[in-house]
Amino acid sequence: MPHDVQVSHLKTLIAIAEESSFEAAATRVGRTQSAITQQMQKLEERVGKPLFRTVGRRRELTSAGRTLVTYGREIVSLVNHALTATDRATETGVVTIGAPQEVAEELLPGILSGFAQDWPHVRVTIHVGRSPALMSMLGEGRLDVTLSTRRSDSYEGALVATRPALWIAGVGYRHDPKMPLPLILADEPSMFRRIALAALDLSGISSVERFTAPDLAGVRLCVSAGLGVTVRTESSFFAKTRILGEEEGLPPLPDVNYYAYLSPTTTSPAARALYNAIRDTEIRATTV
């Protein structure tokens, strides 16, 4: 069989198979019925076998026709994917993304690696910070996509991960239940700060705020030094830590949800693709 079969002819053949008539297929592909009849005649010449047989007043696919439809679908799909990949390869611009540090380090490396391969000419600007600030940036149009612990119905969004909040200390920390619990906390506004203080208040456990830090790096430093206890997700730390709990007399803590949001003002296909990649990530499968 000659190798010059046109993709447009395959698309018409598929339309005929799915619409079950030449007339309906002509409407679908935007051609006259006589035009698609000519296309099928040319396609049969290329194949060297009849693709249709007449049954009463209808024309049905032959075995060769059904086989060509099956492979034709794969060919058309590959062509569409190739054209999409070509568009991505030439797309330029900048996509801005925000994320809290602990979930950025856990979730984004693999996603950004795949995104860079699919969109090689798109530059990504990353803002790592606290959820309240990130949500403000999203609302101001300064971010295309953000991850956040804040729940909002104002943006297109999806729950992408749930992690337990934990009492975390350094390996050198020595817990003394007779003394007020030494806390290492972020300053306001901080969801983890509020979780820790609310849990201690409800349980009646005394505490003292020993160290306050404006960011996760400061919290990590003080925890690693064994200076006290903080509340975070386990993914917040790379160094070895201790998880404290009921054995130390500490109260249970709630789960923390992480959401992905897409700015309503962005028109970038790359931003949409990045949001979709985060939304569909398999991190959901590891939800605790």
Side-chain angles (χ1 to χ4, degrees), residues 7 31 48 61 70 114 162 247 254 256:
V7 174
R31 291 178 175 269
L61 288 168
T70 299
T162 299
E247 293 184 0
V256 176

Side-chain angles (χ1 to χ4, degrees), residues 85-86 88-90 109-122 124:
T86 300
R88 289 180 175 180
T90 57
I111 290 175
L112 292 178
S113 176
F115 180 83
Q117 293 179 20
D118 290 341
W119 302 83
H121 300 294
V122 174
V124 179

Side-chain angles (χ1 to χ4, degrees), residues 2 11 27 30 52 72 80 86 92-93 148 150 160 172 198 225 227 235 242 251:
K11 289 181 178 179
T27 301
F52 301 92
N80 290 337
T86 300
T92 60
S148 174
R150 295 293 179 95
V160 295
L227 302 176
S235 61
R242 293 174 56 200

Side-chain angles (χ1 to χ4, degrees), residues 137-155:
M137 293 176 69
L138 187 73
E140 295 165 1
R142 296 162 56 198
L143 291 177
D144 295 308
V145 181
T146 195
L147 289 157
S148 174
T149 58
R150 295 293 179 95
R151 180 74 178 91
S152 175
D153 295 323
S154 300
Y155 310 99

Side-chain angles (χ1 to χ4, degrees), residues 174-221:
R174 296 293 177 263
H175 183 68
D176 186 348
K178 298 179 182 179
M179 299 295 292
L181 185 69
L183 294 176
I184 301 168
L185 301 175
D187 57 9
E188 286 287 7
S190 167
M191 177 194 65
F192 290 107
R193 177 188 182 90
R194 293 193 295 274
I195 288 175
L197 295 178
L200 293 173
D201 184 55
L202 287 174
S203 62
I205 297 175
S206 63
S207 63
V208 57
E209 188 169 343
R210 291 288 308 279
F211 295 90
T212 306
D215 51 36
L216 180 56
V219 172
R220 284 172 171 167
L221 175 65

